[in-house]
Structures are given as structure tokens and as C-alpha cells.
Amino acid sequence: MKYPVKLQRLGDDEIMVTCPDLPAMTSVGTGEADALREAVDGLCSALQMLIADRQAIPPPSAAKRGMKLVELPPLAVAKIGLYNAMLQHGIRKSELARRLQVHLPQVDRLIDLRHQSKLEQVQAALEAVGYRMEIRVMAA
């Protein structure tokens, strides 16, 4: 999952990053490489705000000329997939907790992009809502 971002120079080395798909996302870095690394955290924070507000996660749009793409970590992509599946099918967190036979705080952590859940736990939750996770490795 790669979101397009705009880079804007603020000063000599400072670069601000924004995302047209997520207006709440803004991050700043020193130099382009640092700004793009910081953008990952900014994207995850903006997406987490949508999750907290029970809003739909917008899919990434196509990058326009001059934009860069920022790829989300695999665990975040899996958690977003779980959240989207729950939202789409009207599955509440309490229902998922019942299906997984876990306590509600464990489900909260499964859709918290800041929490380092085990990928296997997210995979089990996806299966509990009728989805599967597929991971592919390709040449760069």
C-alpha cells in the first residue's frame, strides 16, 4: 500500500511532506530521504486517527507528476485490511473478540497501527472475518 505524497521545501534542508489522500497528514524531515522516512509515521498517525473516529480508510490514489510514493509497513497494511473488513461487514470489535476468544483490549491492539502485534495474530483475525492474508516477495 503506497500513498502519494507531495514534498515542499521549507528552508535549506527542511522538507514538508503532505498527502492529498489524507489531509490530516503532515510531516517534516531534514533532506528528502529523512522526510520520506518521517512520512511513514505521519501516514500511520493520520490513518490511526481515521480508525479512532471509525472512518473509512481511503485507498491510495495514483501519484501525479512530481509526487513520491510512501509505502506502509506490511503489519500496518494487514491491520488496515482487518479494519476495512470489519467496517465493510459491520463486525464490531466485541464480535471479533468473541470469534477469536480473546479480551477486547487485544482486539484494540490488532487495529492499532502503533502497536507491534504479531503478524500471525492479525492473520488469525482476518481469517475470523472471512479474509486471508497473502504475502509476496518480488525482485525490486
Side-chain angles (χ1 to χ4, degrees):
M1 184 173 249
K2 298 177 184 180
Y3 278 93
V5 296
K6 295 179 183 178
L7 285 79
Q8 178 183 354
R9 284 208 175 275
L10 298 177
D12 291 337
D13 282 341
E14 282 194 332
I15 297 175
M16 180 173 68
V17 182
T18 58
C19 179
D21 298 328
L22 302 165
M25 185 277 187
T26 302
S27 64
V28 177
T30 305
E32 186 175 313
D34 183 54
L36 291 172
R37 273 192 302 277
E38 292 295 328
V40 174
D41 288 334
L43 286 171
C44 286
S45 293
L47 291 166
Q48 189 61 48
M49 287 190 304
L50 291 174
I51 291 170
D53 292 340
R54 295 187 177 135
Q55 299 290 318
I57 302 289
S61 61
K64 295 180 180 157
R65 184 178 212 153
M67 292 180 147
K68 301 284 184 179
L69 291 173
V70 175
E71 187 168 12
L72 295 177
L75 181 58
V77 174
K79 288 181 174 218
I80 290 167
L82 173 61
Y83 172 76
N84 282 338
M86 291 172 65
L87 202 61
Q88 182 178 357
H89 296 290
I91 299 170
R92 300 181 60 81
K93 292 187 287 184
S94 58
E95 172 60 20
L96 181 58
R98 187 191 63 73
R99 290 181 188 187
L100 293 171
Q101 298 178 351
V102 298
H103 297 285
L104 193 56
Q106 291 172 281
V107 172
D108 287 330
R109 289 189 292 265
L110 287 175
I111 58 172
D112 184 345
L113 301 181
R114 296 174 301 247
H115 186 268
Q116 289 297 312
S117 304
K118 291 183 179 178
L119 200 53
E120 294 82 5
Q121 293 170 321
V122 180
Q123 181 180 15
L126 282 163
E127 289 171 0
V129 297
Y131 284 72
R132 67 182 177 87
M133 185 170 52
E134 184 176 293
I135 297 175
R136 290 185 274 164
V137 177
M138 302 176 262

